[in-house]
Amino acid sequence: MDDRSKGRLTKDGIRIYEAEDFAGMHRAGELAAHILDEIAPMVVPGATTGAINEAINRMVDEAGATSATIGYKGYQHASCISVNHVVCHGIPGDKRLKDGDILNVDVTVVVDGWYGDTSRMYVAGKLSRKAERLIQVTHDALFKGIEAVKPGNTFGDIGHAIQTFVESQRMSVVRDFCGHGLGRVFHAPPNVLHYGRPGTGAVLEPGMFFTIEPMVNIGRPETKVLADEWTAVTRDKSLSAQFEHSVGVTETGAEIFTLSPAGKFHPTWG
Ligand code: MF3
Ligand code: CO
Ligand code: CO
């Protein structure tokens, strides 16, 4: 069954899924979140991001699921691992983590055709005060966005909630990457911007599935992509953080598909 066979599209081209589809998204989201729980003990000084990625790849396999990122536009890994000033799409490799490094690990799995996409922050060794504040603001920004998810609100309301909070903390929201619709496909309409004006953009309806995945920089918001054509970094080399959940709109608010089964979504928890 492909994506076109389920539900209907809004005038903005956003798919409205059916009540029974939430269960499929929960299964995919839970596996992605569980994998992120399991790697937490591996994030230590001296570990390579390649070894963490290998563990992720193995867990996806052992679950009988598939990685959405392997083969996606030529990407070859089961995760993106973005260290320090890397904003997103960091490629796992041989580089060893150092004490105090902060990193985002982003995993997308496919379970019975449903996509679960989530990322969170980790620290190798001791978390500095500066990085801890960035991580807390980014985490809270994601939840400000999720709180704005309810029928009748707009995507602009989500972006506005995130942007006003981040800027009130004197940090900046990355504009060059955004969240996205997902479901039976990895990336679908709409683009979920993490900045915006209230009341603008498409109106939220029950049955919409999408990610919210704000990237926040301590310094300026501008990014550039390195010669490997994937790794996005802050232009001013300032630290960057990101958290991502996949959510569905219900009659009253949001259901989060990618909650941590172990309650370990944040590096200072669990
Ligand atoms: N998981 C990322 C997202 O949140 C996309 C990664 S695409 C890859 O949308 F090819 F870089 F893996
Ligand atoms: Co995503
Ligand atoms: Co992701």
Side-chain angles (χ1 to χ4, degrees):
M1 183 171 13
D2 73 18
D3 195 55
R4 281 159 296 179
S5 61
K6 285 291 236 177
R8 67 179 176 89
L9 290 183
T10 68
K11 67 173 168 53
D12 302 290
I14 303 169
R15 188 160 298 285
I16 305 299
Y17 286 94
E18 289 157 15
E20 71 228 41
D21 298 335
F22 281 71
M25 289 299 285
H26 272 290
R27 287 196 302 277
E30 183 177 14
L31 175 63
H34 171 71
I35 289 170
L36 291 185
D37 287 346
E38 290 290 304
I39 59 160
M42 294 186 67
V43 180
V44 292
T48 68
T49 56
I52 295 167
N53 178 70
E54 272 317 303
I56 292 168
N57 195 25
R58 185 168 27 77
M59 286 188 274
V60 173
D61 268 4
E62 284 171 3
T66 56
S67 164
T69 54
I70 296 175
Y72 178 78
K73 294 184 177 172
Y75 194 78
Q76 293 178 354
H77 311 276
S79 63
C80 298
I81 303 186
S82 302
V83 181
N84 293 337
H85 75 299
V86 179
V87 173
C88 63
H89 301 166
I91 299 173
D94 296 336
K95 236 184 91 172
R96 292 185 189 282
L97 297 172
K98 304 182 307 296
D99 185 45
D101 281 350
I102 61 165
L103 48 149
N104 174 278
V105 182
D106 190 337
V107 170
T108 310
V109 298
V110 192
V111 176
D112 299 333
W114 296 102
Y115 284 69
D117 185 5
T118 182
S119 79
R120 63 175 85 151
M121 296 302 295
Y122 300 82
V123 59
K126 188 173 157 38
L127 187 56
S128 74
R129 294 289 291 274
K130 173 172 113 166
E132 182 170 12
R133 200 170 147 257
L134 169 67
I135 288 170
Q136 192 64 46
V137 167
T138 310
H139 171 274
D140 294 352
L142 168 59
F143 280 86
K144 299 277 180 198
I146 293 172
E147 282 168 23
V149 175
K150 62 170 183 231
N153 276 5
T154 69
F155 283 94
D157 294 331
I158 298 173
H160 182 74
I162 293 168
Q163 181 183 11
T164 53
F165 174 68
V166 169
E167 292 177 354
S168 79
Q169 303 301 307
R170 304 245 168 254
M171 297 185 188
S172 64
V173 173
V174 169
R175 313 290 203 269
D176 301 337
F177 300 92
C178 57
H180 48 93
L182 85 174
R184 288 232 176 239
V185 290
F186 192 177
H187 290 114
N191 287 331
V192 180
L193 306 182
H194 304 114
Y195 58 94
R197 294 198 315 279
T200 62
V203 177
L204 300 181
E205 293 181 43
M208 289 179 175
F209 297 163
F210 53 87
T211 72
I212 306 178
E213 49 182 297
M215 287 139 274
V216 174
N217 300 345
I218 283 187
R220 292 193 51 80
E222 290 82 10
T223 71
K224 68 174 180 191
V225 175
L226 300 185
D228 62 24
E229 295 184 353
W230 283 104
T231 310
V233 299
T234 55
R235 281 196 174 261
D236 65 4
K237 307 258 170 50
S238 67
L239 277 186
S240 186
Q242 179 177 27
F243 284 87
E244 175 176 25
H245 269 317
S246 298
V247 305
V249 184
T250 66
E251 298 295 331
T252 54
E255 220 163 276
I256 302 175
F257 298 128
T258 44
L259 287 175
S260 163
K264 290 204 283 205
F265 191 59
H266 187 290
T268 67
W269 301 347

